[in-house]
Amino acid sequence: MSDSWPRRRLLAILRGASEPLDAQELARITGQHVTTVRFHLDVLTRESLVRQFQQPPRGRGRPRIGYSAVQRSVGYQELAQVLADQLGPDPRRRSEAAIAAGRAWGAKLDAVDHPVESLEDAKDVVMTLTSELGFAPERDPASETPEQAMVRLTACPLRELARTHSEVVCGVHLGLIKEVLERNGARGEINVRLHPFVEPELCVVRLELLAAHREPEPAPVPVVAEPAVEPMIAPSGGRVAPQLRNADPNIAKQSAQQW
């Protein structure tokens, strides 16, 4: 299963779901054909990573088959809840403590080894890291610019806890991402932000290239104004030399002689 990206993503989505999801719903979320989704779900079921549940049909028809992820460890959610509650009542201090904990985790994690020399490298590191941790990340090319990029996290192993303790859960994940990026050389180059629940089932990691490392804008080309020419009409109706504004008197005299 670990070699199959589609199955890893399905499993991550099911782990973050609050109720069983059927193949049709998973196909809509992932953009895969429903037949392909059913194939991957059968594999996950045989590997005892998901369980099947019979659900009421929508309208007339046969009952639906829902799928739910098998919990990897007993009481993991409850343990995380207890630890989150121990960080104190002040949300700011809880967030700071969570980020520090995430950094400590990232320092010990045998994680991505990919030198970060550009914004594109930073995106690759975040995509790989969050994929390995079960966040089912997606790129968001429509929002990308040369200075910033976004990675969409479509699943979260601790989503239900994050709904009530986002400053703790998301703080740990933010600290982890920061630490792994800095371990790979991004210190002082990339700013990282984590926006939880921009949609009910979606969080976003925003990567911003710091100003000191952005490409300088080209200097504007100076525009040289052409001298204005004022034609003059002689009292007799004949032509006289045009006069240049702010022109050298000697040049004006030579021009008058030519006329």
Side-chain angles (χ1 to χ4, degrees), residues 164-184:
T164 56
H165 295 76
S166 63
E167 76 282 1
V168 175
V169 176
C170 300
V172 169
H173 295 151
L174 176 60
L176 171 64
I177 294 170
K178 283 177 174 286
E179 184 66 26
V180 171
L181 282 172
E182 291 181 7
R183 277 176 53 187
N184 285 279

Side-chain angles (χ1 to χ4, degrees), residues 1-13 29-32 36-37 39-40 43-44 124 126-139 151-155:
M1 194 280 296
S2 59
D3 294 331
S4 171
W5 160 247
R7 287 198 285 278
R8 287 204 306 271
R9 186 180 180 202
L10 286 172
L11 187 58
I13 292 171
I29 294 170
T30 62
Q32 299 180 70
T36 303
V37 169
F39 167 77
H40 292 308
V43 174
L44 292 171
D124 290 341
V126 173
M127 286 289 295
T128 302
L129 174 65
T130 54
S131 176
E132 291 177 353
L133 294 176
F135 288 90
E138 296 178 347
R139 293 179 182 269
V151 175
R152 296 159 52 90
L153 306 180
T154 63

